[in-house]
Amino acid sequence: MAQIVFTDAFHSVNGTDLSAYVKGGALDISRAMLDDTVMGDSAQSNAAGIQQWSLSVDYKQDYASGGPHQTIFALDGAAAFTVIIQPTNAAESTTNPKFTGSAVLQSYNPVSGRHGDLLMCRAQYACAGLLTADTTP
Amino acid sequence: MGQLVFQNAKIFFAGANLQTDLNQVDVNTARAMLNATVFGDTFLRNRAGIAIVNASIAGFWNAGTNPDKPYPTLFDNLGSDDKLLSVFPTTIEEGSTTNKGLAFNATQSRFNLRGRHGDLLGFDAAFTGRGQRLLEVTCLKDASVNMETASQNWTAFNVGAVTASQYLYAGLHVLEHQGTSPTLDVTIQSDSAIGFPSPTTRITFTQATTRGGQYATRVAGAITDTWWRASWTLGGSASPGFKFLVWLAVMGA
């Protein structure tokens, strides 16, 4: 089993490649757990419900065109858009799935930091569509 | 690709220029997530709802009669509604449509003192929005450092038109003043050409006689003019003058 040193992820928001600004991120995927425990069960039983996912990304902030701020702030309150996150910036494969989903912008902090810091920002994306894992280039 | 060492943020709260005592600022915008999942969906479908805007600042305790000091300004304004908060992350660049600030009409929700024995006494304060979204603003006139002592029609900037689905927003921070009974009347004008052959006044701020902030009632588009300028008239005697900053924003609801 190959490990990955997380150095070369691909990430795009609404068609804009923001990979070069990403410091880190987290993609959380889950299913609603529906309690279908009935008489006769000696343990709780759960059935998987609908998919739920969220993506949180920390960026190195840049206010220039094509950077995080102008890309993300324009999506405040906007209709759903496509977000993509992929472990390695290379062709999709079974070992390098491209996670793609339709999302809305849940939160974004355009200014956040202490004097002397490298200015950073964080965006939180909430699901508005099914997240898929594309493994076929 | 640029990166920014966060050194030179400018923060204005109502009639105070707070930069010199602050060393941290956070501005956040979020949206209520509305569950719009329907039959046929195999996923949770969220829709963006109303905006939730807040900010926080932190720095070193400094008290005095100068309203630009954290105390008593941030203590006296605690719980007061409709105070304009404007943050410029880097330098203030008049007329820039890329190097912008962030602003919203706020209520101050918190003012804390903090520190351990031997520390520099610190403070932090927090603010929440007053019903409208976080604005990305273009400064039309930055007189926050040098006193303006003459009435003027300032430089015209091409900020763009206001479409039918957008609004014109504007804010004014009135800071220091001098003279006897000084008055400041600020308007925002637009025109179709850089020379302003036939200006139209779009925003008229309430006459200022002392420090304070004003968040103007927004104006609905469409406005086809693309050139914008600040215009101000000074009144009073004994060399009246003001330090102030005025911005506009063109955004949706």
Side-chain angles (χ1 to χ4, degrees), chain B residues 11-16 83-88 103 143 171-175 184 205 211-214 243-247:
Chain B
I11 300 100
F12 301 93
F13 177 59
K83 300 294 182 181
L84 182 63
L85 179 68
S86 305
V87 177
F88 291 83
L172 172 67
H173 293 278
V174 179
L175 310 167
L184 175 67
F205 291 100
R211 286 177 178 259
Q214 296 185 40
K243 290 184 181 178
F244 62 96
L245 181 141
V246 58
W247 55 253

Side-chain angles (χ1 to χ4, degrees), chain B residues 15-27:
Chain B
N17 182 347
L18 297 174
Q19 178 194 3
T20 56
D21 294 300
L22 300 186
N23 58 14
Q24 182 166 347
V25 60
D26 299 87
V27 179

